[in-house]
Amino acid sequence: MTNPEGSYVKVHFRLEIEDDWPPASVESLWAVDHGDGTARLDNIPWFVRGIACGDIVTTEPDEEGVRWAGEVVRRSENCTIRLIVFRDGGSGAARQSVINAFHELGVCGEGIERFGMVALDVPPTADLTKVQRLLNHGVAKEWWDMEEGCVTAQWRAVSAG
């Protein structure tokens, strides 16, 4: 894959497993290679904490050419929110309805069948108050459980408000 910004590469992150979660010790994310030892993450992390789509990270290839993530050099100001969907057993239709509801608020998302999960990429331009209201409503109704994988000061300010 290529695009005008550069070529796509996989950037790997080591994961801390606690109580059998996450279900893997490594997660790889697509990223746009900047050619200078950094890459811009181009998909929503399922399990990595403290990282969001659009963040720019340093990468270091190992002896086999696998690129490992280093530090974040520039934050995108996006938030990563993960949901385990309970409604309809986390069916494809239930996950898609969740994605659609958040899409109306300017939030992108994707689902994964294996865990009945939805990962949301919340840009700073979204109405964070409405997004948080919907998230909290879904938790209260037991439609889903939620994890804040990566949040910004702006997100925390709205939460505290």
Side-chain angles (χ1 to χ4, degrees):
M1 289 192 298
T2 60
N3 73 24
E5 298 176 63
S7 59
Y8 277 98
V9 295
K10 282 282 195 172
V11 176
H12 296 74
F13 292 80
R14 287 184 173 79
L15 303 173
E16 296 284 327
I17 299 174
E18 188 174 309
D19 298 326
D20 295 327
W21 194 261
S25 60
V26 173
E27 179 175 6
S28 62
L29 301 176
W30 283 111
V32 176
D33 185 7
H34 287 175
D36 62 358
T38 67
R40 180 182 49 79
L41 302 177
D42 201 35
N43 68 276
I44 309 167
W46 287 109
F47 304 113
V48 180
R49 292 193 170 114
I51 294 291
C53 187
D55 287 355
I56 297 174
V57 298
T58 60
T59 64
E60 185 69 39
D62 65 15
E63 58 280 349
E64 296 168 5
V66 174
R67 290 176 187 239
W68 292 95
E71 64 187 47
V72 177
V73 294
R74 199 182 94 229
R75 297 233 174 244
S76 63
E77 296 304 315
N78 291 2
C79 297
T80 301
I81 306 297
R82 293 183 273 262
L83 307 175
I84 302 280
V85 179
F86 301 138
R87 206 171 69 205
D88 298 329
S91 69
R95 292 190 314 273
Q96 190 59 52
S97 70
V98 170
I99 292 167
N100 293 347
F102 282 98
H103 186 74
E104 291 179 18
L105 301 176
V107 174
C108 294
E110 57 184 289
I112 186 171
E113 182 177 0
R114 182 172 173 202
F115 305 108
M117 285 177 65
V118 168
L120 300 172
D121 179 42
V122 184
T125 54
D127 185 329
L128 300 184
T129 301
K130 287 182 180 177
V131 170
Q132 289 185 18
R133 194 175 299 137
L134 179 54
L135 285 168
N136 293 330
H137 180 74
V139 169
K141 292 284 191 178
E142 298 182 355
W143 293 341
W144 55 68
D145 198 3
M146 174 182 85
E147 176 188 62
E148 295 177 333
C150 181
V151 295
T152 61
Q154 183 182 2
W155 178 271
R156 286 189 288 277
V158 170
S159 295

